[in-house]
Amino acid sequence: AQVIVALGAPIIAPRNVHSKVGEAFTGSLTLTDAADRPATEWAASNLPAGLTIGTATGEISGTPTNRVDTVAVIVATGPGGTGVPLSVPFSVTAGTPIIAADQFFAATQGQGFSTTPALTDAANRPATSWSVTGLPTWAVIDGTTGAISGTPTSTSPVSLTLTATGAGGTSEPQTYIITVSASGG
């Protein structure tokens, strides 16, 4: 008598996934016994926004768009049937801060000036500290909030280069001009 052993349902190996907002991510799930329990189709639910699963490969890829700690459910199906769904913890942490471009800073000579540079997607790319080069003697920066304040003493324009740092890293430097107009007299 001939004994035929059929292929079994796929078993996905446990895995935790870590990524950052705004950074491309690629990661493959593996099977514990791919030779005897192959997968031909993959499915996922509750993946973080911006990530997808390759239905033929089980590769998870994309660029996460927001911070989240979640558990995705992954299922693999093969010739031996559908495997037991696996809960896969996903942690998407803060991305590198991005200082918003095209900000306009205007001041008037002899009058108090205050501005706080904006971040793009501050909720998912927060800054915890700021640094600046080119700050005039009449101004100060709050290194925690990025707020720049002071009273301009001349009408000379000021060129500032700002950098923001957060849990996700340090931003690209962004240069701005503070234009200073003469007081109305």
Side-chain angles (χ1 to χ4, degrees):
Q2 182 179 12
V3 176
I4 298 174
V5 177
L7 295 174
I11 299 173
I12 305 168
R15 176 173 185 193
N16 292 347
V17 180
H18 303 280
S19 58
K20 286 171 69 173
V21 170
E23 291 187 9
F25 173 83
T26 301
S28 295
L29 296 169
T30 57
L31 300 173
T32 58
D33 183 7
D36 293 328
R37 298 172 173 273
T40 55
E41 185 178 346
W42 297 77
S45 61
N46 204 37
L47 285 174
L51 296 179
T52 59
I53 189 166
T55 58
T57 63
E59 181 175 270
I60 297 171
S61 62
T63 303
T65 58
N66 56 334
R67 295 191 291 179
V68 67
D69 285 314
T70 190
V71 176
V73 177
I74 313 293
V75 178
T77 302
T82 298
V84 175
L86 178 69
S87 296
V88 178
F90 276 81
S91 179
V92 179
T93 58
T96 302
I98 298 174
I99 302 172
D102 302 324
Q103 296 183 68
F104 180 74
F105 305 139
T108 303
Q109 180 184 9
Q111 295 181 13
F113 165 81
S114 180
T115 189
T116 300
L119 293 172
T120 299
D121 193 14
N124 292 301
R125 298 167 172 273
T128 53
S129 67
W130 292 76
S131 62
V132 62
T133 58
L135 195 65
T137 57
W138 57 262
V140 294
I141 185 170
D142 180 319
T144 303
T145 66
I148 300 168
S149 59
T151 302
T153 56
S154 75
T155 58
S156 300
V158 176
S159 177
L160 302 174
T161 302
L162 296 167
T163 305
T165 301
T170 299
S171 72
E172 292 292 322
Q174 190 69 268
T175 300
Y176 298 100
I177 304 293
I178 298 176
T179 59
V180 182
S181 59
S183 62

